[in-house]
Amino acid sequence: MSADSTNLRTLLQAELGTLKALQEALSAEYQALISNAVDELEAAIAAKNDAVAAHQSQQQQRLAWMRGLGLGAESSLSDLITHCKGDKSDEQLRDELAEIATQCQESNRRNGGLILRLQERTRGALDVLRQEDGGADLYSLSGSREHQSDGRTLGKA
């Protein structure tokens, strides 16, 4: 096994570790969202942010190493594996990285959709408390829906 192949495997395993941490954080975020656990949600978001930063840092290390090998940032992991004369285990690492990255994207989309639904539910509850009819949605110049309150409060002095 060459030094390049050893470095490649080390870098890919480190990236895999950061993606698994992100996957766990996204799962914790989802559980906190559905159980309405604010403290757990804050911890999950902090863990997610840390995992994203760690993964970006790890990717930057790999990209810097690739530049040192004469490969550009646009080179795929398959190109890198071929260049380093990697073996089947390196290809399996690449496939696992791709699979977990896809799962992380799907989990993040799911969590984002859940957050939007929770915001709408909260906005609806506030409208009821404020005795608003909920039909006061406005649209911005870009066409996105904006909700604007008239500033009425729940109680008066």
Side-chain angles (χ1 to χ4, degrees):
M1 184 179 291
S2 71
D4 285 346
S5 181
T6 301
N7 287 341
L8 170 65
R9 187 160 300 138
T10 300
L11 288 168
L12 293 181
Q13 287 172 337
E15 275 189 60
L16 185 60
T18 60
L19 271 182
K20 285 182 178 180
L22 178 58
Q23 187 178 39
E24 289 173 18
L26 287 165
S27 179
E29 179 183 53
Y30 178 75
Q31 290 303 317
L33 285 167
I34 63 172
S35 64
N36 204 25
V38 176
D39 290 341
E40 292 174 19
L41 180 59
E42 288 177 358
I45 290 170
K48 179 177 75 170
N49 289 338
D50 290 346
V52 167
H55 186 65
Q56 287 174 334
S57 174
Q58 196 58 50
Q59 282 183 318
Q60 290 304 316
Q61 286 180 22
R62 177 179 45 84
L63 291 171
W65 182 68
M66 287 171 61
R67 281 190 298 275
L69 295 174
L71 296 171
E74 71 284 346
S75 298
S76 68
L77 284 179
S78 296
D79 294 340
L80 180 59
I81 291 169
T82 300
H83 181 83
C84 294
K85 297 176 180 47
D87 58 19
K88 287 284 184 201
S89 64
D90 296 324
E91 292 172 2
Q92 289 172 338
L93 274 171
R94 175 205 57 211
D95 294 344
E96 191 174 359
L97 276 167
E99 182 180 329
I100 293 176
T102 299
Q103 290 171 1
C104 286
Q105 286 176 330
E106 291 169 1
S107 293
N108 197 48
R109 268 190 227 107
R110 174 199 62 202
N111 292 358
L114 180 55
I115 289 168
L116 289 175
R117 287 190 302 277
L118 290 171
Q119 284 176 333
E120 285 297 318
R121 185 179 75 181
T122 302
R123 190 173 290 125
L126 287 172
D127 288 347
V128 167
L129 291 172
R130 292 180 184 141
Q131 299 177 353
E132 293 181 358
D133 63 2
D137 286 338
L138 301 176
Y139 293 85
S140 70
L141 293 176
S142 65
S144 63
R145 191 171 64 166
E146 292 181 356
H147 187 79
Q148 188 170 14
S149 173
D150 64 0
R152 284 187 267 161
T153 60
L154 185 57
K156 294 185 180 181

